Amino acid sequence: AAGAQFLRGGAYKPRTSPYAFQGHGESALNLLAAAREATGLGIITELMDSPELDVVAEFADVIQIGARNMQNFSLLKKVGAQEKPVLLKRGMAATIEDWLMAAEYIMAAGNPNVILCERGIRTFDRQYARNTLDLSAIPVLRTLTHLPIMIDPSHGTGKSEYVPAMAMASIAAGADSLMIEVHPNPKKALSDGPQSLTPERFDRLMLEMSVIGKAVGRWPEPAVALA
Ligand code: PEP
Ligand code: MN
């Protein structure tokens, strides 16, 4: 209702700790398909390993390759050899050149539909923000590639209270799309609760972003009326 176009959720989750929630695997793909059926939203979900490619490609509208797999060249070639669009997240220590070359692997294998997603890089300070969101990547990529640019301010900051500011800055800087984590009860989330907005905060952010988008001439009208 707030205007999101896709639902992004993980069935196979790349967790830093092997003891953290790993995702529900194939059964979660059915849940995502049911969510698409109920809402009309497109589905984006992550592929971690090639044995799951066929089943993920069958369910997903867009296949996510996560930061940790950005330079998994054999996986890139495989998603390049199938038809679903690929959302390629920037590796946490990847230069712009590394990232564009990873996109080239996908395109050289035959799939021209790649979205580049900046999700924050590792710098020296992790005390206050989980990553350093590189918004300068937006104008830089604009000069280097025609590929659409997505910003993920949720992983980019790691804290829900910082997400709105960076989401609005992303639009001002010319991002084509945003990935924003939302959870009805962030404290109970099995993954990334601290960076997840409540649905109410997400609704409000969509309205706030529409104001910025209008000012820079690149965002549609808000889907919900101002309260
Ligand atoms: C994610 O998108 O949920 C994720 C794990 O992100 P990243 O690959 O950017 O760390
Ligand atoms: Mn996450």
Side-chain angles (χ1 to χ4, degrees):
Q5 304 290 310
F6 286 84
L7 175 67
R8 200 293 310 233
Y12 303 93
K13 308 260 329 148
R15 305 309 301 283
T16 300
S17 165
Y19 309 115
F21 172 65
Q22 300 288 307
H24 290 303
E26 200 170 329
S27 67
L29 295 174
N30 288 303
L31 298 176
L32 290 169
R36 171 173 47 210
E37 194 63 35
T39 62
L41 294 167
I43 295 299
I44 305 179
T45 196
E46 179 161 350
L47 173 69
M48 279 176 56
D49 204 359
S50 46
E52 284 92 50
L53 173 58
D54 288 347
V55 68
V56 168
E58 180 191 332
F59 280 90
D61 298 297
V62 177
I63 299 175
Q64 175 174 325
I65 297 294
R68 290 155 193 80
N69 268 320
M70 190 208 81
Q71 284 187 312
N72 182 339
F73 299 120
S74 65
L75 194 61
L76 298 178
K77 287 181 196 168
K78 285 181 184 123
V79 290
Q82 58 80 54
E83 289 183 348
K84 292 286 168 79
V86 178
L87 170 55
L88 180 64
K89 297 194 87 173
R90 182 180 185 175
M92 52 191 87
T95 65
I96 299 261
E97 185 71 12
D98 294 337
W99 189 15
L100 288 174
M101 286 300 129
E104 288 292 338
Y105 265 92
I106 298 167
M107 294 187 286
N111 186 345
N113 299 316
V114 181
I115 303 160
L116 298 170
C117 180
E118 161 65 35
R119 45 78 73 200
I121 50 175
R122 278 282 167 88
T123 57
F124 46 84
D125 189 355
R126 299 198 78 201
Q127 193 176 352
Y128 300 108
R130 180 178 182 181
N131 292 295
T132 297
L133 187 63
D134 180 14
L135 290 186
S136 69
I138 300 169
V140 170
L141 289 171
R142 250 338 144 219
T143 68
L144 297 173
T145 177
H146 65 284
L147 295 174
I149 303 166
M150 175 183 281
I151 299 293
D152 170 0
S154 306
H155 291 86
T157 62
K159 293 206 176 105
S160 57
E161 61 265 43
Y162 305 147
V163 167
M166 299 315 277
M168 288 193 280
S170 303
I171 293 170
D176 298 303
S177 56
L178 285 148
M179 175 192 293
I180 295 175
E181 293 209 285
V182 178
H183 194 283
N185 187 352
K187 286 198 173 70
K188 288 243 167 95
L190 293 175
S191 169
D192 289 344
Q195 68 194 31
S196 296
L197 302 186
T198 61
E200 296 71 33
R201 186 66 188 91
F202 178 72
D203 283 356
R204 188 146 60 85
L205 176 58
M206 289 294 273
L207 292 170
E208 292 164 349
M209 290 194 297
S210 72
V211 175
I212 307 284
K214 217 177 207 169
V216 297
R218 48 176 305 126
W219 207 257
E221 291 294 313
V224 288
L226 267 168

